[in-house]
């Protein structure tokens, strides 16, 4: 497999290198994409993890003959891992950068073995109370802490030949909306961005040769009014002026923040503004995206210099993926690191200094939360990737784990939007118990418009404060304020093994040491 050379490429090939394929819409779309790949006119592919998906990657690489980018989100470790890899905030909760390096190294080794060579992350946005579609996806609310852990992770990824895109440039600490659903606006000044939100980017490029950045669709009204960062030359220029010469990719053009206002023309606007590659609306066929960019070039919207500059960075990124990983399989040190990560990241908030341990003789009721089911919603898109962590069947497995630690405990499973029958059952069980332990979760996700527990769940937890001995809340840490009467609150991390270590703490076998990287 040989890297491409800019001087050898035709106009058609250069235009194709600007595009990340986001799936095959139909047989005709697939045929055209593979023909363009054979012509060396595709920059990369976004592919989901599927069992047997390696064969598709092998087909793409065989057809291409050059190191085309194979991209995916890996915010919970390698998507096909058997390890219980927790959300990003878990890494900074451990106060252990070496552990963050090993965890990221594990992701890189598994991802490279499968065939991925680029991941979209880590998220270096600053966390904030009420921030939608982010919170536990971030490393915290302190730009210096975020920098330390992002550097550890990115170094591990790049040491293994895996490209990254630190995201979502330039940051948006004052944004509480979800750009998947609507336009988002920031009122930070350029100085405020540089002196706070952009600190992680500056620190990373001081210490590493950062391979990639992904842009935000937020509009910065005090810097470039009305123009999303992805389409804003003034905003994209800030990082270039700081010395960054790596790849800039756009975030998804399927998001409503872009497609409701700008439509398909945003693809060319992004390249003209300074993005080097685009993630087009996955609802469009590849040919339509390609023709849009070709027309923009012919009309002078994308200049020859801008095209060559962008393609140069794409080709340089592709060449970096040829670096071989240190191993083609996980070693015991990586498996141990993920276990240690789960252990050291569990955070405990005890009311009035109360011990995390429950009385061994108390009568206990555990109330577990599972996702509501939405019959008929079975098709998933690249933008709506889901994990079934809190499906009914998996929550039942959590109940089995609880019985290993507390064989005599009663276990009740309710929906995240509990109905009146479920509430009545919990309330009645509480009257007969000494200790009630709630296990709740909330997952930051696209197109939801909410990252909190439901009002019904909050009301239920607070209905019998004398009996609420503990809450294990997994996800958005700010939700801990909704349990003011709980004697014990454990903050765990999505995707990991927080329940196991919470049970050990409740039993008196473990003292949590995690420290949340956000201010509650």
């Amino acid at each position: 497999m040989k890297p491409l050379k800019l001087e050898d490429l035709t106009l058609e090939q250069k235009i194709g290198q600007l595009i990340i394929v986001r799936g095959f819409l139909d047989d005709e779309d697939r045929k055209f994409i593979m023909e363009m790949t054979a012509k060396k006119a595709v920059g990369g592919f976004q592919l989901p993890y599927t069992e047997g998906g390696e064969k598709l990657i092998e087909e793409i690489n065989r057809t291409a003959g050059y190191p085309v980018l194979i991209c995916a989100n890996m915010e919970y470790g390698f998507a096909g891992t058997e390890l219980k890899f927790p959300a990003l905030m878990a890494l900074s909760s451990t106060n252990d950068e070496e552990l963050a390096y090993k965890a990221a190294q594990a992701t890189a080794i598994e991802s490279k073995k499968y065939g991925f060579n680029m991941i979209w992350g880590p998220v270096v946005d600053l966390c904030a109370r009420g921030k939608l579609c982010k919170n536990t996806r971030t490393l915290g609310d302190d730009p210096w802490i975020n920098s330390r852990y992002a550097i550890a992770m990115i170094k591990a990824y790049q040491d293994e030949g895996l490209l990254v895109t630190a995201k979502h440039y330039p940051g948006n600490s004052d944004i509480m909306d979800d750009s998947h659903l609507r336009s988002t606006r920031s009122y930070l000044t350029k100085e405020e961005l540089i002196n706070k939100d952009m600190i992680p980017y500056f620190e990373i490029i001081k210490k590493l040769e950062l391979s990639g950045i992904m842009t935000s669709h937020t509009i910065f009204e005090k810097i470039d009014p009305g123009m999303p960062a992805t389409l804003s030359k003034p905003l994209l220029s800030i990082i270039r002026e700081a010395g960054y010469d790596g790849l800039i990719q756009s975030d998804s053009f399927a998001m409503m923040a872009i497609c409701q206002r700008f439509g398909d023309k945003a693809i060319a606007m992004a390249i003209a503004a300074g993005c080097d590659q685009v993630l087009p609306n996955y609802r469009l066929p590849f040919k339509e995206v390609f023709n849009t960019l070709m027309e923009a070039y012919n009309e002078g919207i994308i200049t020859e210099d801008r095209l060559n500059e962008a393609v140069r960075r794409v080709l340089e990124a592709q060449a970096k993926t040829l670096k071989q990983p240190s191993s083609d399989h996980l070693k015991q040190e990586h498996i141990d690191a993920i276990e240690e990560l789960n252990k050291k990241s569990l955070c405990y908030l005890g009311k009035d200094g109360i011990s995390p341990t429950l009385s061994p003789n108390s009568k206990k009721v555990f109330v577990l939360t599972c996702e509501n089911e939405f019959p008929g919603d079975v098709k998933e898109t690249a933008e709506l990737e889901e994990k079934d962590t809190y499906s009914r069947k998996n929550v039942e497995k959590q109940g089995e784990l609880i019985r290993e630690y507390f064989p005599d405990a009663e276990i009740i499973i309710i929906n995240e939007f509990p109905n009146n029958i479920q509430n009545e059952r919990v309330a009645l069980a509480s009257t007969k118990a000494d200790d009630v332990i709630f296990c709740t979760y909330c997952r930051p996700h696209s197109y939801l418009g909410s990252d909190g527990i439901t009002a019904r769940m909050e009301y239920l937890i607070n209905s019998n404060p004398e009996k609420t001995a503990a809450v294990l809340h997994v996800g958005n840490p700010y939700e801990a304020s909704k349990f003011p009467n709980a004697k014990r609150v454990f903050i765990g991390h999505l995707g990991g093994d927080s329940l196991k270590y919470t049970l050990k703490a409740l039993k008196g076998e473990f003292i949590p040491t995690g420290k949340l990287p956000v201010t509650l």
Side-chain angles (χ1 to χ4, degrees):
M1 186 175 291
K2 294 182 179 180
L4 301 176
K5 295 181 179 179
L6 180 63
E7 59 270 23
D8 296 338
L9 299 188
T10 65
L11 174 60
E12 180 185 52
Q13 290 172 321
K14 290 178 182 179
I15 294 294
Q17 290 297 326
L18 305 178
I19 307 170
I20 299 290
V21 173
R22 306 195 65 202
F24 306 117
L25 291 181
D26 51 35
D27 291 342
E28 182 180 351
D29 188 43
R30 180 190 176 109
K31 180 181 178 183
F32 181 76
I33 289 168
M34 296 309 288
E35 287 174 353
M36 294 295 280
T37 304
K39 291 180 180 180
K40 305 186 185 332
V42 173
F45 287 76
Q46 177 187 6
L47 297 175
Y49 166 81
T50 57
E51 290 189 17
E54 303 98 322
K55 293 180 180 179
L56 174 58
I57 294 176
E58 288 171 3
E59 179 189 353
I60 290 170
N61 287 331
R62 187 169 57 250
T63 302
Y66 63 97
V68 63
L69 300 179
I70 308 294
C71 315
N73 283 310
M74 294 286 174
E75 293 184 17
Y76 295 88
F78 170 59
T81 189
E82 295 182 0
L83 302 176
K84 293 188 176 181
F85 204 111
L88 196 61
M89 191 173 283
L91 276 70
S92 50
S93 297
T94 64
N95 195 33
D96 189 336
E97 291 164 60
E98 184 179 350
L99 196 56
Y101 179 93
K102 288 184 179 178
Q105 190 180 35
T107 298
I109 290 170
E110 289 195 288
S111 297
K112 288 281 281 189
K113 182 178 181 180
Y114 182 83
F116 293 115
N117 56 32
M118 184 170 202
I119 64 168
W120 291 329
V123 175
V124 297
D125 298 332
L126 304 186
C127 196
R129 183 183 293 274
K131 196 175 186 70
L132 295 179
C133 202
K134 294 281 171 68
N135 55 69
T136 58
R137 296 174 62 202
T138 76
L139 287 158
D141 59 13
D142 185 311
W144 300 103
I145 291 176
N146 286 21
S147 301
R148 284 168 46 205
Y149 287 91
I151 287 168
M153 295 177 68
I154 292 170
K155 186 176 189 312
Y157 293 142
Q158 295 184 164
D159 283 351
E160 300 295 330
L162 191 66
L163 302 191
V164 305
T165 57
K167 60 185 184 182
H168 303 80
Y169 176 85
N172 41 29
S173 60
D174 64 333
I175 293 301
M176 301 300 135
D177 289 321
D178 177 11
S179 57
H180 293 88
L181 278 174
R182 64 185 183 189
S183 293
T184 58
R185 285 174 168 77
S186 169
Y187 294 91
L188 297 174
T189 64
K190 181 177 179 179
E191 290 71 23
E192 287 171 329
L193 266 180
I194 289 173
N195 293 320
K196 186 178 179 184
D197 289 59
M198 289 185 64
I199 286 173
Y201 295 97
F202 297 142
E203 289 298 301
I204 293 166
I205 62 177
K206 279 181 189 175
K207 295 178 171 63
L208 299 171
E209 187 181 345
L210 178 61
S211 53
I213 284 174
M214 179 175 283
T215 62
S216 161
H217 295 329
T218 295
I219 298 167
F220 290 81
E221 294 288 11
K222 293 186 177 181
I223 302 174
D224 194 1
M227 195 60 65
T230 302
L231 313 181
S232 170
K233 188 172 183 178
L235 279 157
L236 297 180
S237 296
I238 297 173
I239 197 70
R240 294 299 189 198
E241 291 167 2
Y244 175 69
D245 192 40
L247 186 68
I248 295 181
Q249 290 182 333
S250 78
D251 205 342
S252 166
F253 281 104
M255 295 184 187
M256 299 304 129
I258 286 287
C259 64
Q260 286 181 344
R261 273 194 69 206
F262 297 94
D264 300 344
K265 64 180 181 179
I267 298 168
M269 292 171 67
I271 298 297
C275 286
D276 304 310
Q277 274 187 320
V278 291
L279 277 63
N281 187 338
Y282 54 76
R283 307 172 189 99
L284 299 176
F286 182 87
K287 182 180 286 187
E288 189 172 329
V289 176
F290 179 87
N291 288 340
T292 297
L293 288 173
M294 183 63 80
E295 289 170 10
Y297 173 83
N298 291 330
E299 294 171 4
I301 296 171
I302 300 173
T303 66
E304 182 73 17
D305 286 346
R306 175 81 273 271
L307 176 63
N308 287 334
E309 179 184 55
V311 175
R312 170 181 67 80
R313 293 192 180 114
V314 172
L315 301 187
E316 288 174 355
Q318 290 174 347
K320 291 175 183 176
T321 67
L322 295 175
K323 182 176 181 177
Q324 294 301 304
S326 61
S327 174
D328 63 355
H329 64 279
L330 291 183
K331 298 177 181 178
Q332 189 61 44
E333 66 181 285
H334 301 120
I335 297 169
D336 293 343
I338 303 305
E339 184 69 23
E340 189 71 6
L341 174 57
N342 280 293
K343 181 179 180 180
K344 292 182 73 172
S345 62
L346 181 66
C347 303
Y348 174 66
L349 308 173
K351 190 173 183 180
D352 301 323
I354 192 171
S355 164
T357 306
L358 296 177
S359 168
N361 300 318
S362 64
K363 184 174 182 181
K364 301 172 182 67
V365 174
F366 284 81
V367 183
L368 312 183
T369 311
C370 70
E371 291 181 337
N372 283 63
E373 294 183 358
F374 298 94
D377 290 353
V378 294
K379 186 177 179 181
E380 294 175 357
T381 69
E383 197 73 27
L384 299 171
E385 295 171 350
E386 281 282 2
K387 279 195 168 190
D388 60 356
T389 308
Y390 291 95
S391 65
R392 177 87 189 195
K393 61 181 176 61
N394 281 341
V395 173
E396 287 174 352
K397 292 178 182 177
Q398 293 179 3
E400 294 172 5
L401 178 62
I402 290 170
R403 284 201 172 90
E404 292 179 17
Y405 287 86
F406 299 100
D408 298 326
E410 181 178 358
I411 296 172
I412 301 173
I413 299 176
I414 62 176
N415 296 114
E416 58 182 324
F417 286 90
N419 59 35
N420 58 334
I421 295 172
Q422 292 175 334
N423 284 350
E424 181 190 29
R425 184 182 173 196
V426 171
L428 182 60
S430 298
T431 65
K432 301 175 182 179
D434 300 308
D435 294 324
V436 181
I437 302 96
F438 287 89
C439 297
T440 67
Y441 77 95
C442 54
R443 180 170 53 200
H445 217 291
S446 55
Y447 298 102
L448 284 183
S450 173
D451 284 343
I453 66 167
T454 65
R456 293 186 195 178
M457 183 61 62
E458 179 184 356
Y459 192 86
L460 179 62
I461 291 172
N462 293 318
S463 293
N464 195 346
E466 293 79 13
K467 298 293 183 71
T468 304
V471 177
L472 164 60
H473 178 67
V474 176
N476 183 352
Y478 297 107
E479 294 299 273
S481 64
K482 293 184 177 179
F483 323 126
N485 299 311
K487 299 178 183 67
R488 304 164 182 84
V489 176
F490 298 86
I491 305 293
H493 304 278
L494 292 160
D497 208 1
S498 298
L499 177 60
K500 179 173 76 175
Y501 286 101
T502 299
L503 294 172
K504 287 179 177 291
L506 292 173
K507 203 169 175 62
E509 299 175 354
F510 169 67
I511 301 296
T513 59
K515 183 179 179 181
L516 283 173
V518 297
T519 302
L520 298 184

